[in-house]
Amino acid sequence: MTTNVHMPSGSVSGRSHPGLLVLSLADNVAVAIGDVDSPTGPVPRGHKVATRAVRGGEPVLKYGQVIGFASADIAPGDHVHSHNLRFGRFSREGGIGEGVVVPEPLPVAEQATFEGYVRSDGRVGTRNYLGILTSVNCSATAARRIAERFRYSDLLEQFPHVDGVVPLAHGTGCGIGDPETLAVLRRTMAGYLMHPNFGGFLVLGLGCEHNQIAELTRDVPVRPDLPIVAATIQELGGTRRTVEAGVSTLTSMLPEVDKARRSTVPASELILGTNCGGSDAYSGITANPAVGSAVDLLVRNGGTGVVAETPEVYGAEHLLTRRAVAPAVAEKLLARIGWWEQYLEKSGGTLDNNPTPGNKAGGLTTILEKSLGTISKGGTTPLADVVDYAEQVTSKGFVFMDTPGYDPVSVTGIVAGGAQVMVFTTGRGSAFGCKPVPSIKVATNSELYLRMTDDMDVNAGAIVDGDRSLDEVGREIFDLVLQTASGRATKSEDLGYGDEEFVPWRVGAVI
């Protein structure tokens, strides 16, 4: 997708209008960069205004792409939103990216670097946590109680190189009605057990659950020097004894885990996860493309950037297949789109049943419009691979992971895939963290950044304000990724987010 941002004014009915932002010369709508008046009434910031007449049934263009079809005649200057813009299917034959040129990364000697924990299997961590992985929801309370003992005591004070204890509690593990759900759950848990941001684990179950510890840990290629202790509440004699035993077990790991030290490593060792939540109309104009610029920089430095949320690329997938390095990569993406269409059809749903009420209040009208913003997080480099939910990301470059659009579920899959840093964009003000991985929050607009400054790390709203260019904000994000990977705490970490956001995807039926 090519976005040509023309600032600060657009043209409505042949006259200059300083309150509008035109994103492409092909567009027939512009975006209000402040509250503006129109013949149909006030238009809130972020909403669309017609720059020329659009007849009923004709396509509405934003970013130079179709975002829907006029459900009534639209006059120049009219507010364009749900009352006169509808989703509609159209041909999206984008071709396959045969002949895509994959750029050579910088030589290692010229790559940017960060300070990370080099593990015995060669992976590099950005944090050093102890984890409590629960096999089933029945052991979630005990896991949280164990973690609380460390949080609200001085048990960690003598171990400055241990970042904390993370309870990976969730709401499933039993009553699973199909093999696929169990397979996805175990793949997710395996990804966390292998994650380089952990220095040791207690795997805690109830004892009688469907997801038995022996099965979920079988054949997981964890590094040989990673301490892992498995236990169940039933074997230990109940909850109180389990909490005491869990605290004792993790305390005994602390001296060894605390020996880890950071060392200088190239940026090519980084897998950067990206996600957006609480999007608004500025998401696809400021924060998401700025993240895409940062992803391009990381790929140039030999690293990997991951974009996900399959239901939220629907309608824009042809722009990704054009960038695929091989036909097989494009076909994998199209196959996942087809799976989602069938998955939702079973329950009477459709992929166009989006955006959310908050998205619409922020100016997004159709899933097509939202998806165009989502894919901009992938920058401009070729699509190197498409992987399943929680599958290990092994390719360098830009990779797409099949996940739901629901933020905690999506990010859980990306972290399980190996991402050591997350960048999370928001226009409405999502509160989010994802231990053991630091999450950098990027605000799409300056008003949100100033209102929630304790939660936001980067203000991408400066792009629309005219204070900074997209590439300048992209460079800021890239530099902050390296600093965060080296140990700098994010706002979400300072606030303690991340203990409740481990949410594996429950794909099928619950029985």
Side-chain angles (χ1 to χ4, degrees), residues 15 82 87 94 96 122 133 169-170 185 187 271 303-304 327 404 427 431 452 456 459-460 474 477 511:
R15 60 185 176 85
S82 303
F87 170 82
I96 303 298
L133 180 63
H170 56 94
L185 176 62
R187 185 166 69 236
I271 299 174
T304 303
M452 296 183 65
M456 300 296 149
N459 178 24
I477 294 170
I511 59 173

Side-chain angles (χ1 to χ4, degrees), residues 108-143:
V108 173
E110 298 177 21
Q111 289 178 13
T113 61
F114 69 100
E115 301 298 308
Y117 295 101
V118 180
R119 304 301 190 181
S120 61
D121 60 359
R123 296 189 181 204
V124 180
T126 62
R127 296 294 184 268
N128 191 33
Y129 279 103
L130 285 171
I132 311 170
L133 180 63
T134 59
S135 63
V136 66
N137 66 298
C138 304
S139 55
T141 295

